[in-house]
Amino acid sequence: MYEKIWSELSEGDKKVIRVIAKNGGTMKTKDIQEASENMNGGIKMQQEKSTISELIMDDADAPYTEEELRKLGYKIEKDIYSEKYNIKGKVIDYFFVTKLFFEYEGRKIEMGIQRNILKRETYEEVGLKIMETYISNLALHRVRKMQLHFWYIGEYEGKGKTYKRAHGIVSGSDKFTDSMDINTSSVQAVHIEAGELVVTTKNSVYYCPLEYCRFDKQDEFPDIIPEYEKIKEQYKGKRNYPSIESGKVLLVLVNFCEFYFHSLHYVPLDSEDGTTIEGIAAPNIGMFQDSYLIQSYEEDLDHRIDIRYFPHFQNIEFYSEETDGCPLYIENIGDVVIYAKTHCGVIKLEPGDRKEVIRENAEKEILVLPNGDLYPARVEE
């Protein structure tokens, strides 16, 4: 975006911007004119040059710092290399977001990251730590089953033919990031197998848990699925949610839901009927960092739950753990490891794990996990 804006500016406008950036960002018109006359052209910013290294190579005596150039919209690129895994990567700072790129086991990994300026970390240091953390702690060295959740199959007309396509939230794909809402290519065959609808397309096989069928949508195309009415009767509204004892709070996480949030379960200790208090969960979309807010409040009973976290790449970072004094448990019902940064330390959740948020369950080793916005992240084949 910045490269395009810069390319469309006149040479005069570019000169003014250089002057303002060099002098702190705010200047009077008279001062801009005077400074422009004394700059003698400043740094040689050619339109085709887009990285800091290219600009500095053009003019070794340029009076601009890396930070000043970044303010002008020029991205910073830093190469990184892991001797431990013999893998190369690259960190690119686009000013509003910083991304890490590398390849591992045939996959291209892209994730948003943040550099802690107060710790004087370099891009190379941050990129290397996170790249090696991904390989040692986040990448699963096993075959994952490609699944669709919240799915249905519809029929469509095209070029005089009728064809079928499945829709849903994907996980376990080599081409798509977990939690992406996708449309498959044309469906070749379907059959039922161990509580799942197995959908075969030309190049892929998707496993669709029957309890996650969107029956409201599938009702429009009942003939696509064998014995649909029996399946609907057996599985509609029968999704299995985890439970927790009264007086405890359970946050359920999963990789196929946006922001990892699946459900929250809380039954007050003084509850007479054991009913779970309903909560409100919603993302808070920020310019630089998204967060997820989960709140539950019963005015008559004066119970309050207020859980908030930043979602990162395969990990979350809590900044509110208000549970009305009740113990907080977190559970991972997905098929990839998820880490939770809590006030007690970093807690590792393998698929199927449930752990209380206490210091005894925190990892002993200090881990450097990816931070930054979750959704500038992508894994593709």
Side-chain angles (χ1 to χ4, degrees):
M1 179 181 70
Y2 285 103
E3 291 172 1
K4 185 175 188 301
I5 293 173
W6 183 261
S7 69
E8 294 175 351
L9 293 175
S10 68
E11 289 305 314
D13 289 337
K14 291 178 182 178
K15 190 172 184 179
V16 170
I17 292 173
R18 294 183 189 118
V19 170
I20 295 174
K22 177 64 178 175
N23 290 274
T26 57
M27 297 179 67
K28 294 182 179 180
T29 303
K30 180 180 179 182
D31 295 331
I32 293 174
Q33 292 173 341
E34 182 177 341
S36 298
E37 293 172 357
N38 295 330
M39 275 190 68
N40 296 322
I43 192 168
K44 298 176 183 177
M45 290 190 177
Q46 301 177 27
Q47 285 186 210
E48 67 272 15
K49 304 300 183 183
S50 60
T51 67
I52 298 300
S53 59
E54 288 175 320
L55 290 167
I56 293 176
M57 284 174 63
D58 279 350
D59 189 346
D61 298 322
Y64 285 86
T65 66
E66 187 174 272
E67 182 64 24
E68 289 170 336
L69 290 171
R70 192 169 73 92
K71 288 180 180 179
L72 293 174
Y74 281 83
K75 62 188 180 185
I76 301 171
E77 292 190 13
K78 298 292 184 180
D79 292 322
I80 55 176
Y81 174 69
S82 169
E83 293 184 0
K84 182 177 180 180
Y85 295 105
N86 189 28
I87 291 179
K88 295 180 180 180
K90 185 184 292 289
V91 173
I92 302 181
D93 181 352
Y94 295 94
F95 183 39
F96 278 114
V97 66
T98 304
K99 292 188 178 184
L100 168 65
F101 302 85
F102 63 97
E103 292 190 26
Y104 179 67
E105 291 189 343
R107 293 182 174 184
K108 294 180 180 179
I109 314 296
E110 172 188 337
M111 65 179 76
I113 63 172
Q114 291 176 347
R115 177 181 61 158
N116 190 332
I117 299 176
L118 297 178
K119 292 183 179 180
R120 297 183 178 180
E121 296 173 321
T122 67
Y123 286 115
E124 292 90 339
E125 291 171 333
V126 175
L128 179 61
K129 288 178 182 178
I130 293 177
M131 188 167 70
E132 292 187 344
T133 295
Y134 174 87
I135 296 170
S136 61
N137 296 306
L138 298 178
L140 285 179
H141 303 277
R142 62 181 176 84
V143 177
R144 296 175 62 200
K145 183 165 61 175
M146 188 157 55
Q147 292 185 300
L148 286 181
H149 290 79
F150 309 105
W151 59 270
Y152 71 95
I153 302 176
E155 287 187 347
Y156 303 89
E157 299 288 338
K159 298 181 179 180
K161 296 182 179 180
T162 300
Y163 59 98
K164 306 175 182 67
R165 294 173 69 181
H167 310 262
I169 305 298
V170 72
S171 65
S173 170
D174 289 331
K175 298 180 180 180
F176 304 106
T177 306
D178 287 353
S179 83
M180 283 188 66
D181 192 351
I182 69 165
N183 301 318
T184 70
S185 56
S186 180
V187 173
Q188 308 295 311
V190 300
H191 70 273
I192 305 298
E193 180 181 301
E196 295 177 316
L197 180 72
V198 182
V199 177
T200 303
T201 64
K202 183 178 180 180
N203 299 310
S204 304
V205 177
Y206 299 88
Y207 294 85
C208 310
L210 295 175
E211 67 268 24
Y212 278 91
C213 175
R214 291 189 59 184
F215 290 102
D216 59 327
K217 289 284 191 179
Q218 198 60 59
D219 284 345
E220 301 177 29
F221 312 98
D223 296 335
I224 294 177
I225 300 177
E227 298 186 332
Y228 174 69
E229 292 302 329
K230 289 183 179 179
I231 290 173
K232 180 179 176 181
E233 181 179 356
Q234 181 177 356
Y235 289 96
K236 184 177 181 179
K238 302 295 176 61
R239 199 173 300 159
N240 185 25
Y241 284 94
S243 60
I244 192 74
E245 298 88 355
S246 60
K248 299 177 181 179
V249 178
L250 174 63
L251 174 63
V252 183
L253 305 171
V254 70
N255 53 290
F256 62 75
C257 286
E258 283 191 322
F259 303 97
Y260 305 114
F261 177 75
H262 180 272
S263 53
L264 177 76
H265 306 272
Y266 170 48
V267 181
L269 194 60
D270 56 0
S271 174
E272 296 180 357
D273 57 5
T275 302
T276 298
I277 292 181
E278 296 293 332
I280 299 174
N284 179 38
I285 307 301
M287 180 177 291
F288 297 103
Q289 176 63 63
D290 298 339
S291 61
Y292 204 75
L293 317 180
I294 309 158
Q295 297 178 313
S296 179
Y297 181 67
E298 282 284 322
E299 186 174 357
D300 295 339
L301 300 177
D302 197 28
H303 294 298
R304 182 171 182 82
I305 305 295
D306 187 2
I307 297 174
R308 307 181 182 200
Y309 59 78
F310 298 114
H312 303 307
F313 189 82
Q314 273 183 249
N315 70 92
I316 64 173
E317 180 182 0
F318 287 101
Y319 64 94
S320 174
E321 299 173 39
E322 176 58 49
T323 59
D324 196 34
C326 298
L328 173 61
Y329 289 76
I330 47 180
E331 181 173 352
N332 177 11
I333 64 170
D335 63 354
V336 299
V337 64
I338 297 176
Y339 286 85
K341 302 175 186 176
T342 75
H343 74 283
C344 296
V346 176
I347 296 178
K348 180 180 181 180
L349 295 171
E350 294 280 1
D353 278 354
R354 175 186 292 193
K355 295 181 180 179
E356 184 179 358
V357 180
I358 54 176
R359 198 166 301 279
E360 289 83 346
N361 287 330
E363 294 293 292
K364 302 300 184 289
E365 178 186 356
I366 297 176
L367 299 177
V368 179
L369 296 168
N371 62 355
D373 200 6
L374 172 65
Y375 288 104
R378 181 168 66 240
V379 180
E380 59 182 33
E381 194 174 30

